[in-house]
Amino acid sequence: MKQKTVLAGLIALALSTSSLSAFDLRSNMMMLNAELNEVQQGFMTSNEAGVADAIERFAKDANDLLGNQEKFAAMLPKGKEHKAKEAVNSAKVIAHNVQIIQDSIANKHQRSEKIRREEAQRAYTYIEHACFNCHNIVRDN
C-alpha cells in the first residue's frame, strides 16, 4: 500500500511540474509587466531617476527570463518548446532599446532634452512591441 501511495505521489509531482513551470512563466511575466509599467509611469511623470531605476531592474529580469533559450523552453507548455528562440530574440531587442533609454538618461550623445526624451520613449515602444510580438508568436499554434 505504501508503494502505491508513494508512486501516486511521484506521478502527481511529475504532472504538476509542467503547471509549476507555467506558473513560473506567468508570475515572471507579471513581474516584467509591473516593471515596464513603472518605466512608463516614470516617463509620464518626467521622473528620470524612476525611469533609470525601473529600466535597470526590468533589463536584468528580462534578460534572466528571456535570454536563455533552454531555461525558457522548460517553462513553455509541451509542444511549444521550439518557440523559446523568439524569447531570446525579444531579449536582444529589449537589451538594445534599454541601452538607448539609459544612454538618453545619461545624455551620452549630448542631445537636447526633447530629442533624448523622444528617443527614450520610442525605445520604450520598441520594447513593448518586442513583448507583444513574442507573445503573439508563442501563443499561436
Side-chain angles (χ1 to χ4, degrees):
M1 185 67 171
K2 279 186 176 181
Q3 285 181 332
K4 286 184 180 181
T5 305
V6 171
L7 182 60
L10 289 174
I11 291 171
L13 179 63
L15 292 174
S16 68
T17 302
S18 64
S19 63
L20 287 176
S21 293
F23 175 75
D24 265 354
L25 183 59
R26 175 170 281 137
S27 63
N28 281 309
M29 289 296 171
M30 289 172 62
M31 178 186 64
L32 291 178
N33 183 50
E35 291 169 349
L36 202 53
N37 284 337
E38 285 182 54
V39 174
Q40 181 186 37
Q41 190 63 34
F43 281 132
M44 298 301 240
T45 59
S46 298
N47 179 356
E48 231 177 59
V51 171
D53 180 53
I55 200 70
E56 185 175 323
R57 282 184 286 115
F58 172 77
K60 181 196 176 305
D61 292 339
N63 188 59
D64 288 349
L65 178 65
L66 306 172
N68 183 312
Q69 186 170 343
E70 293 79 25
K71 181 180 164 185
F72 194 79
M75 289 188 234
L76 290 173
K78 191 170 188 109
K80 292 198 175 193
E81 297 90 350
H82 65 283
K83 294 187 176 190
K85 66 180 177 243
E86 296 302 330
V88 174
N89 291 338
S90 291
K92 291 175 185 175
V93 170
I94 289 168
H96 174 73
N97 285 289
V98 162
Q99 189 62 56
I100 291 171
I101 293 170
Q102 291 172 329
D103 289 351
S104 294
I105 291 170
N107 197 11
K108 184 176 180 180
H109 304 292
Q110 304 300 312
R111 296 192 173 129
S112 72
E113 183 178 341
K114 180 182 179 200
I115 298 293
R116 290 185 300 130
R117 185 175 47 241
E118 288 174 358
E119 286 177 342
Q121 291 168 348
R122 188 176 313 110
Y124 173 84
T125 63
Y126 290 151
I127 291 170
E128 284 183 321
H129 182 262
C131 294
F132 286 132
N133 186 51
C134 185
H135 285 221
N136 292 339
I137 291 170
V138 172
R139 288 181 183 158
D140 289 345
N141 290 327

